[in-house]
Each structure stands twice: as C-alpha cells, then as structure tokens.
Amino acid sequence: MNKRNLLACVALAASAMLSSAHAEDAYPSRPIKLVVGVAPGATTDAAARLVAEVLSKNLGTTIVDNQPGANGTIAARNVARAKPDGYTLLAFYSDQMQVAPLVYKNAYDPLEDFAFITTTVRSGGFILAVPESSPAKTFAEFIDYAKSGKKQMNYGTYGVGSSVQLGFEIFNERYGTKMLHIPYKGGGPSYQAAVAGEVDIVAGTSFIELLKANRLRPLAIGGSQHSPEFPNIPTLAGQGFGELVFGPVFYGVAAPRGTPPEIIEKVRAAVAKGAQNPEFAARLKPIAHDPFIVGPAETAALVRKGLDTYRPVVQKLKISLDN
C-alpha cells in the first residue's frame, strides 16, 4: 500500500468514527420503537406504554410495538436480532428473561443477547389463594391438608412454563406434596376456576377484588413484603422460600447486545428522570405496581438470579416448548 492509499484509509476510518460519534450524540434523530411481548390491554402493556410516554417526554418520540406470543419470546428474539443502534428496544417482564429462555426451544440467551438498561416497575408479590370452600384457613393448614393425601390436590396457572408453575413445583419439592398442574389460557380463567372450586390453589397479583369479595381466601404472599390489603397473611420469605419464589414481577428495558454505552446511558437517564415524577407512581397505583429503578448491572444480576433459581426446576420437569 503506497502512502497516498494509506492516508486515504486513515481519513476514511477517522470519518467513520466521527460519523458514528455524531450519530450517538444526535440520538435519537427518529422515533424509537419499544417492543412489548404481550397484546394491548395487559398489565405489561400498560407499564410499557407508561415508559414510552416517559421516553417521549424526556428523550424522543417512542412508539409501542406489540408483538405477543410464546411468553414474550417472539418479541425478545426480534429485538435481540435488531440493529444495535438504540432505535429498537424491548420492554421486558421478568418471566420473559428468567423463565421463557429456559423452557422454549431456540429462544435466546438473556445475558448474552441483550444489553440491559434499567428496570422500570414492579408488582407486589404473588398472593396464594384458595377457594372459600377450602378447609384450609391458613397457610399452615393448607400445607397439612395437601400433605394428608385426603384428595388429589391441584393448582391452577396461566400456562405451562410460567414462573407460577415453577413456584408451585418448588412448593411440591419443599413440602413433599404432589399437587398436579392445571394450566389455563391466562390468569383470569385460572382465578375463576379457583372460585368455582375446580382447582385447590392459585397465585396471582390481579385478583384483589375477588379476595375482598370473599370469593377467594388469601393464605400467603411471595417475597418479603407484607400485603397492604392483607397484612396478616405470612410472607413466603418468612417461611424459608427465596425472594424469587412467587416474588414480585419486575419490568425493564433492554437493547440488542452491542448498543453503544452512550445510548444505553441516555435511555437509562430518561427513564430514571421520569420515574422521579410523582405522576409516574400515581399512574401505576390502579394496577397495584410501583416504580422500581436500578441500573444495567443490577438488572442483569436480577435476571441471572432468576435463571439460577428456575433452571434446576425446569430441568427436573423436562419442560421444553416450541415457540
């Protein structure tokens, strides 16, 4: 290579670097697409739309793109394959990162395929509830009843391969019970099945009205925080379970791996700024959620902890689903 060609190559490389730096400085120069793996109207969708509003106000126009199916794996896989330029982001929920990659074939590796940006929102712990007709009035009584063998016990969930199913299987292993799994097409149908006495126990965060109407009876709550509505029911953490078993669902934002750190920081800062506004928390109150903001490293650590908790359960149950 002669001197003239060498200088031309150096100039081109420098120009490319300056162009890239300018693009990152100018970000965003066009609308951002925030992909969410559920249909419009779900709690996850509501949380994602609130985050989109925050990003639109504090960073740049952000549009929600619903891509439901296969417990969020379709949406997550599409984002993982997108160009890492900050214009395609994922509004994820904890099952999507901690459970779905373990149970769906050819899904994705959350810790390798994504650059985590921040968490955004979290729910309270899952409440374990039984039909009003159940002989169990307390968590301890339910355990004794389930272990007694007087009947074949079962539990209802919103689908195969969910964190709720895995939580009940951890319950089975801990107490030596043999409750059977009855999957339904969504949380609502499983709760109604419990009301009708078709299943012996369910776990959820969105049946408070059924509890207040005495159509279901609360026995315990996941995690370590007591329920504001039912402060006398025990926490599962207090019963020796880990924080993740029926613990709070958390939501967050991730980008494709390789997204420039400068863009990651701009998105993180915009979300953090929006979450400080009292209106953010007020908008979450009707869906019983709260602001929850931690940075990239802490978000990745939460995902890793979930994968480590659920992996042995998935392997034991040999759950493998097509997506």
Side-chain angles (χ1 to χ4, degrees), residues 51-262:
V51 171
E53 287 183 31
V54 164
L55 289 175
S56 293
K57 182 177 181 180
N58 297 322
L59 186 61
T61 301
T62 303
I63 301 167
V64 172
D65 180 11
N66 295 87
Q67 297 181 15
N71 201 6
T73 59
I74 294 171
R77 193 164 50 190
N78 287 341
V79 172
R81 294 171 177 172
K83 186 177 180 181
D85 57 5
Y87 290 99
T88 303
L89 304 176
L90 178 68
F92 69 85
Y93 51 96
S94 46
D95 260 25
Q96 202 174 4
M97 291 296 173
Q98 296 177 323
V99 178
L102 300 175
V103 302
Y104 282 91
K105 300 173 185 175
N106 305 314
Y108 41 85
D109 184 331
L111 299 173
E112 293 294 329
D113 295 340
F114 294 96
F116 291 106
I117 300 175
T118 181
T119 53
T120 56
V121 174
R122 68 178 168 189
S123 70
F126 281 78
I127 293 176
L128 275 63
V130 297
E132 271 298 309
S133 59
S134 172
K137 300 295 191 291
T138 66
F139 183 67
E141 287 181 2
F142 181 82
I143 294 169
D144 289 341
Y145 186 54
K147 292 170 67 175
S148 70
K150 292 180 179 179
K151 64 166 287 191
Q152 174 60 66
M153 303 286 281
N154 57 42
Y155 62 88
T157 76
Y158 55 83
V160 175
S162 66
S163 60
V164 173
Q165 180 195 4
L166 302 186
F168 276 121
E169 291 301 331
I170 291 171
F171 183 102
N172 271 339
E173 184 170 354
R174 178 178 179 83
Y175 292 111
T177 52
K178 297 180 180 179
M179 294 189 294
L180 298 180
H181 179 210
I182 309 295
Y184 291 84
K185 293 182 178 180
S190 72
Y191 308 151
Q192 291 302 323
V195 169
E198 295 172 10
V199 294
D200 296 298
I201 191 167
V202 289
T205 61
S206 56
F207 51 58
I208 298 297
E209 294 307 314
L210 292 175
L211 298 175
K212 289 181 177 179
N214 295 320
R215 301 183 71 190
L216 291 176
R217 180 185 304 133
L219 298 184
I221 185 169
S224 58
Q225 299 296 315
H226 285 276
S227 167
E229 293 89 354
F230 307 98
N232 294 326
I233 64 174
T235 65
L236 289 181
Q239 308 298 312
F241 286 91
E243 282 282 340
L244 287 181
V245 181
F246 297 114
V249 174
F250 69 89
Y251 305 82
V253 180
R257 183 181 178 88
T259 301
E262 296 83 359

Side-chain angles (χ1 to χ4, degrees), residues 15 18 20 36 43 70 82 120 129 134 159 165 172 191 193-194 237-238 297 301 306 310:
S15 175
L18 288 171
S20 175
V36 58
T43 300
T120 56
S134 172
Q165 180 195 4
N172 271 339
Y191 308 151
Y310 294 125

Side-chain angles (χ1 to χ4, degrees), residues 50 119-123 250-251 271-272 274-285 288-294:
L50 180 56
T119 53
T120 56
V121 174
R122 68 178 168 189
S123 70
F250 69 89
Y251 305 82
V271 173
Q276 292 173 357
N277 189 325
E279 183 184 351
F280 189 84
R283 293 274 298 279
L284 292 170
K285 192 171 183 179
H289 285 54
D290 298 299
F292 176 53
I293 305 295
V294 299

